[in-house]
Amino acid sequence: MTSRFSKIAVPGEPAVAQELANLAKPLSGEMGLAAIHIETGRRITLDSSERFPMASTYKLPIAVQLLRLVDEGKERLDHVIRVGPKDFRPGGVPLRVKFKFGESSLSVRVLLELMLTVSDNTASDLILRLIGGPQAVTAGMRSLGLDDLSIDRSTIQHVFDMFGLPRPSESESLPGSYESVLTSVPKDQQRAASEQYARDPRDTTTPDAMASLLVHLYRENLLKPETAKLLFGLMRCCKTGNGRLKGLLPTGTEVAHKSGTALDIINDVGVITLPNHAGQIAAAAFIKGAKSSIPACEHSIAEVARSVYDYFLSRPR
């Protein structure tokens, strides 16, 4: 990565800004970071106004929009959704297992859990359809003043765009059929499609916007306290991307997060709780255009997260 040092901002602390630049420099890709100490509003940023593809971190705003509707009485967590063969998506393994054993109707609460904890794409698209589609989520983000956060496609559209394929018809959308279609794509077509996907402005955000959403959520001025507690409880149980924000933090550190991975896109966003009542950090870390391996990118995010953790822990006020 060729870091743009002028875009690294830690007011009054050039040393930590240089440290972040040094950590990001070996990475063959572009990293963006926004870290906000929620209690004081102090910030550490790296290219935080740049747009980055969200990958599955986009499921967090989808969850937020759903829970806002729940708080408004327009949707219910105990609402049971029928799941049929045409609903299944690549990356929807947990729901396929449930379906295999006869569980063809699931509550919104279970779908939300699967979407946030194991990033189940089938659950995500079912929730997205339930709450009015991508445009409804984007409108919800705009109402919060988050103009740099856009939800534009379903997960199935993401997957087929990555491979340069048209969206399949409903008659083709059967469990098990996606793998054969996707693996049949010629490598040069897939490479060109992935490059186009990485440049696509849809379903992107800035680290600033995502971190701001996390601050809104944690301060409980967006959702009812019990609803926010549910959301963060599920995010603390996230089983993906644990080598990223959490990777180098002290054992037992509480992190409520949502990761995202697609092609050369490696992301993680969440809230880190500091020990000794030192507060919370809302952190959004994104990498795009990565040529390094996924573990190497994860380690870079983990190093940056640890630097941010140490900085705010030593300066809690």
Side-chain angles (χ1 to χ4, degrees), residues 2-72:
T2 303
S3 295
R4 295 182 287 279
F5 285 23
S6 62
K7 291 192 176 183
I8 301 170
V10 186
E13 293 290 344
V16 72
Q18 186 63 55
E19 180 180 353
L20 289 180
N22 291 339
L23 290 173
K25 191 174 182 180
L27 187 67
S28 61
E30 183 177 349
M31 178 184 286
L33 169 76
I36 304 171
H37 189 257
I38 294 176
E39 287 72 16
T40 64
R42 290 177 301 138
R43 304 168 63 87
I44 297 175
T45 62
L46 165 64
D47 287 348
S48 63
S49 62
E50 297 286 326
R51 300 288 294 229
F52 288 82
M54 283 184 281
S56 282
T57 65
Y58 103 139
K59 292 167 184 173
L60 176 57
I62 292 172
V64 170
Q65 184 63 18
L66 167 66
L67 292 174
R68 291 179 79 189
L69 293 177
V70 169
D71 280 351
E72 293 168 4

Side-chain angles (χ1 to χ4, degrees), residues 60 214 232 235 245 255-258 268-272 281-285:
L60 176 57
L214 290 163
F232 281 111
M235 292 173 67
L245 290 179
V255 182
H257 70 117
K258 180 70 190 79
D268 203 14
V269 305
V271 173
I272 301 167
I281 305 166

Side-chain angles (χ1 to χ4, degrees), residues 195-231:
E195 291 173 356
Q196 176 62 35
Y197 179 85
R199 295 190 298 268
D200 198 317
R202 293 177 294 174
D203 300 291
T204 60
T205 191
T206 64
D208 280 336
M210 185 64 82
S212 294
L213 175 60
L214 290 163
V215 171
H216 277 302
L217 290 167
Y218 197 84
R219 287 178 176 169
E220 297 183 347
N221 57 8
L222 177 54
L223 299 173
K224 292 179 178 179
E226 62 270 22
T227 312
K229 182 179 180 181
L230 168 66
L231 175 62

